Amino acid sequence: MTITCLISLFPIIWVFLSSLKADPTLEPGFTLPKDISFDGYISVFTEMNVLHYFWNSFKIVTVSATLSIIMISMSAYVIARMDFKGKKIVTAMIYSTMFIPATAMTFPVYNLVNKIGIYNTPFALMFVYTCSGIAMSFFIIRNYFAIIPDSLEEAAEIDGASHSQIFWRIMLPIARPGILTAWILAFMNNWNEYYWSSMLIIDHDQLTVPALLGQFTTSFNTNYNGLFSAIIVIVLPPILLFTFTSKYFIEALGGGAVKG
């Protein structure tokens, strides 16, 4: 675990040290800066107005992650708790989406977004992000629904509860750790997503923070100080989110909420 943590932290520490150098190209490598410079961070908040792009990313990622998890939770509940014809086929089809790379869907998604008239708008990314990462979220939520005791569902049926009442009032609150885990993972994946955000939105004011990184690189020059500073600012929200919600990952993996 120590080796894994060191490997994971090394690039973050390297970027952080580089962001404090006035010119990282003159002081390359994993070295302490000779003279600490905060010019990159100042330019990120003043010239680049990064808080505006934070808001763009936050509203797009939050809405898309919430819509995605709501739909996946309902499908995962049905597949985990009910038996019907074609159940294995539906499950295999959902898992098979993990093997489709984003580049293979470039033209059909781009064409569809243009046809429905949402290209170069936040709704384009919301549409794509809502349909992204379905397999992983489905895997987490389905497994959590599967370990919930049948006695809870049977007791609710005896009391006259319908399937929708059992789902919304009983199963969904119990599966909260698993659902929140899937939501957090979807949020972090969409927050760091660059491919679609740089393709479906070209309006500068509508860009998300990953697409903003491209503003530091031109055909003739690269502002490495500003680039490294922006990277540190952008990766902080997912790190803080995971730090304060790590308990839900532990509960989801261990099934602690159900056992308790």
Side-chain angles (χ1 to χ4, degrees), residues 39 44 62 72 78 82 85 93 98 110 150 155 166 217 228:
D39 293 341
V44 166
T62 301
I72 294 172
V78 172
M82 301 179 184
K85 292 184 178 180
M93 291 177 63
M98 298 180 65
Y110 183 84
D150 295 335
I166 293 174
T217 303
F228 290 142

Side-chain angles (χ1 to χ4, degrees), residues 209-230:
V209 283
L212 181 66
L213 294 177
Q215 303 297 315
F216 293 92
T217 303
T218 65
S219 300
F220 307 99
N221 186 32
T222 299
N223 181 6
Y224 288 107
N225 180 255
L227 178 62
F228 290 142
S229 301

Side-chain angles (χ1 to χ4, degrees), residues 13 51 57 65 88 97 99 120 131-132 160 247:
I13 297 175
L51 293 179
S57 289
K88 294 183 178 179
T97 59
F99 304 102
N120 197 29
C131 303
S132 301
K247 63 177 182 179

Side-chain angles (χ1 to χ4, degrees), residues 183-184 187-188 236-246 249:
W183 186 91
I184 293 167
F187 182 94
M188 292 191 296
L236 277 179
I239 293 175
L240 294 176
L241 177 64
F242 180 82
T243 300
F244 290 106
T245 58
S246 58
F249 286 84

Side-chain angles (χ1 to χ4, degrees), residues 27-176:
E27 303 178 55
F30 194 81
T31 58
L32 295 175
K34 296 179 181 178
D35 297 315
I36 297 178
S37 174
F38 295 99
D39 293 341
Y41 292 98
I42 295 174
S43 63
V44 166
F45 285 98
T46 56
E47 298 177 12
M48 300 300 296
N49 192 19
V50 71
L51 293 179
H52 171 74
Y53 302 100
F54 263 80
W55 170 244
N56 290 344
S57 289
F58 180 78
K59 65 182 180 182
I60 292 173
V61 172
T62 301
V63 172
S64 59
T66 302
L67 292 176
S68 177
I69 294 304
I70 290 175
M71 293 187 295
I72 294 172
S73 296
M74 291 188 287
S75 62
Y77 169 71
V78 172
I79 293 177
R81 310 296 297 188
M82 301 179 184
D83 293 323
F84 55 90
K85 292 184 178 180
K87 176 179 177 179
K88 294 183 178 179
I89 297 177
V90 173
T91 304
M93 291 177 63
I94 294 176
Y95 285 144
S96 66
T97 59
M98 298 180 65
F99 304 102
I100 304 177
T103 52
M105 300 184 293
T106 300
F107 177 74
V109 170
Y110 183 84
N111 190 36
L112 178 61
V113 167
N114 275 278
K115 283 187 176 181
I116 60 181
I118 60 175
Y119 177 73
N120 197 29
T121 66
F123 298 104
L125 286 181
M126 291 180 187
F127 174 75
V128 174
Y129 289 168
T130 300
C131 303
S132 301
I134 293 177
M136 182 58 65
S137 300
F138 175 82
F139 175 79
I140 295 173
I141 299 175
R142 175 185 176 275
N143 287 350
Y144 204 91
F145 276 132
I147 63 175
I148 297 177
D150 295 335
S151 57
L152 296 175
E153 200 169 7
E154 294 171 355
E157 291 178 354
I158 294 175
D159 290 338
S162 62
H163 287 299
S164 60
Q165 290 175 328
I166 293 174
F167 173 73
W168 291 106
R169 297 185 180 182
I170 299 175
M171 306 299 286
L172 199 63
I174 294 176
R176 183 178 58 183

